[in-house]
Amino acid sequence: LVRDKRVNGLSLLPAAQNRTKEDVTADQMIQIVSGLCEKFEYVIVDSPAGIENGFNNSVVAAHEALLVTTPEIAAVRDADRVVGLLEAFGMTEIRLIVNRLRPGMVQA
C-alpha cells in the first residue's frame, strides 16, 4: 500500500502495469478486498474500461457500484449495459455519475 502524504488515512494499492490482466483471479480479488475492508472504512476499486476480466474481478468483490460515464450517447448506452451486468451479478446498490455534464444539456 502507498500511503498518501497529504491525506491522513488515505492509501492506494496500484495495479500491476503488465500486458496480461489475468494475473489476479476473482477469488484472489475477494481476498484482497476483504483484507482491506478490515483495515479501512471505505475501499474503492477502480474498474478498467470494458467488460472483461478486470471488470469481473472488480464486481465480484464489490458491495455496491458507482458508475461514472459521460453524456455522449455511446457512453450512456455502455453505462446502461454495465448496469445490466451489475444486476446480473446480483448488485442492487448502483449509482450513476454523469461526468462533464453542462447545465445546458439538462432540461429543467
Side-chain angles (χ1 to χ4, degrees), residues 2-55:
V2 179
R3 297 187 194 286
D4 191 292
K5 295 177 184 175
R6 299 161 294 182
V7 180
N8 187 30
L10 178 64
S11 299
L12 172 70
L13 177 61
Q17 295 299 314
N18 57 12
R19 292 180 188 259
T20 175
K21 304 297 183 204
E22 287 82 32
D23 290 347
V24 177
T25 67
D27 289 336
Q28 290 169 326
M29 190 68 178
I30 291 170
Q31 286 180 317
I32 291 167
V33 171
S34 294
L36 291 171
C37 285
E38 292 175 8
K39 297 182 180 195
F40 297 97
E41 187 174 353
Y42 296 99
V43 176
I44 299 172
V45 178
D46 185 11
S47 175
I51 53 171
E52 297 175 0
N53 197 43
F55 171 82

Side-chain angles (χ1 to χ4, degrees), residues 61-102:
H63 301 288
E64 61 184 87
L66 183 60
L67 182 59
V68 181
T69 190
T70 58
E72 288 79 25
I73 292 172
V76 172
R77 283 186 186 141
D78 288 346
D80 183 56
R81 185 170 172 217
V82 169
V83 167
L85 292 170
L86 291 169
E87 290 173 340
F89 270 94
M91 181 116 13
T92 57
E93 294 292 323
I94 303 169
R95 296 195 170 46
L96 179 68
I97 292 177
V98 180
N99 198 10
R100 299 185 199 149
L101 185 67
R102 294 185 309 271

